[in-house]
Amino acid sequence: MARNTRKRTAAAVDAEAATSAPESQPPAAPPQQASPASPAETVDDAQAETALATRPSKKARLSTKEQIAMLARELEETRASLKVAEESVRKYRKYKSMYVKEKTLQDARLIPRPDGERGKKGWTLRKALQLEGNTDMYLTILASVREAITAAGLDWKKTFHRQEASRLTDCYRMVKEQNPYLKRFEGDWPARELVISCMQNKRKTRNRRKKAGTSGDNDSASNIIDNNEDENDDEEDEDD
């Protein structure tokens, strides 16, 4: 009987051991990799993070009164800037009006060509140019006119009215550029009269030398200037 008790006890121990033993677990499946997020999802996530990061805290948010005050300051600054701009426009218009008036008066003060004709029965060039008391400037102008005639390609052997109009225009421009004093006169009449006078006296000098048996092609600058003095300006104009 004691033997049977031992057998039952051993059987009971085996049964308890079998019952308490952990059940066998199936092998674990390998972890699955997460699918990559699409570009749109990535952008949305980035924007959400940026919005959260830049969102001001409750303390940093302006109250309604503070917003109104800030807008009022901006409005005052805009009004001040507008006032400065309006003042600049007003000054511009004022100075423009003054300039136009001055220019009009200046144009009205330009010296016109004297009435009548230059020559023995008319007016002298030095007097018309208001250079009777400034011989040096008058002679300087005459020398520059002679140079301009040559530079413009005018023909010394031809009379004034036989010259090319375009070359005459170039010559007038050169004369005025080299002699700012002539800008006080109206139009190109001083340059025109000076060119006529120089060409006339050049021919007169050449003719006198031809009659005297000397060459008329080697006139010095001093002779040309001297021949444009008043005594020769008073002679009849052959080209007019």
Side-chain angles (χ1 to χ4, degrees), residues 89-201:
V89 172
R90 188 188 67 79
K91 288 182 179 180
Y92 168 77
R93 291 176 177 174
K94 176 182 177 181
Y95 292 134
K96 182 180 179 181
S97 177
M98 293 173 60
Y99 169 78
V100 172
K101 290 180 180 179
E102 180 65 22
K103 187 69 168 58
T104 302
L105 292 174
Q106 183 178 358
D107 292 342
R109 291 194 296 265
L110 292 177
I111 303 173
R113 184 182 186 278
D115 295 332
E117 299 297 331
R118 176 179 60 85
K120 186 181 298 184
K121 298 179 182 179
W123 43 267
T124 64
L125 191 53
R126 286 187 66 177
K127 185 176 181 179
L129 296 179
Q130 301 180 358
L131 291 174
E132 291 179 302
N134 196 338
T135 302
D136 291 339
M137 179 177 287
Y138 181 67
L139 297 180
T140 299
I141 292 175
L142 290 177
S144 68
V145 171
R146 184 172 183 270
E147 293 175 356
I149 291 173
T150 302
L154 297 180
D155 191 343
W156 285 99
K157 296 180 181 180
K158 294 181 180 180
T159 60
F160 174 81
H161 291 290
R162 293 178 182 176
Q163 306 293 334
E164 295 182 21
S166 60
R167 295 183 184 276
L168 285 171
T169 301
D170 290 340
C171 184
Y172 299 160
R173 176 180 54 78
M174 293 179 190
V175 171
K176 293 178 71 174
E177 287 179 353
Q178 295 175 13
N179 302 280
Y181 174 81
L182 299 179
K183 293 181 180 180
R184 68 184 63 193
F185 297 93
E186 188 179 271
D188 292 330
W189 75 262
R192 181 179 184 275
E193 295 296 337
L194 286 164
V195 170
I196 292 175
S197 179
C198 283
M199 299 192 77
Q200 285 178 347
N201 286 294

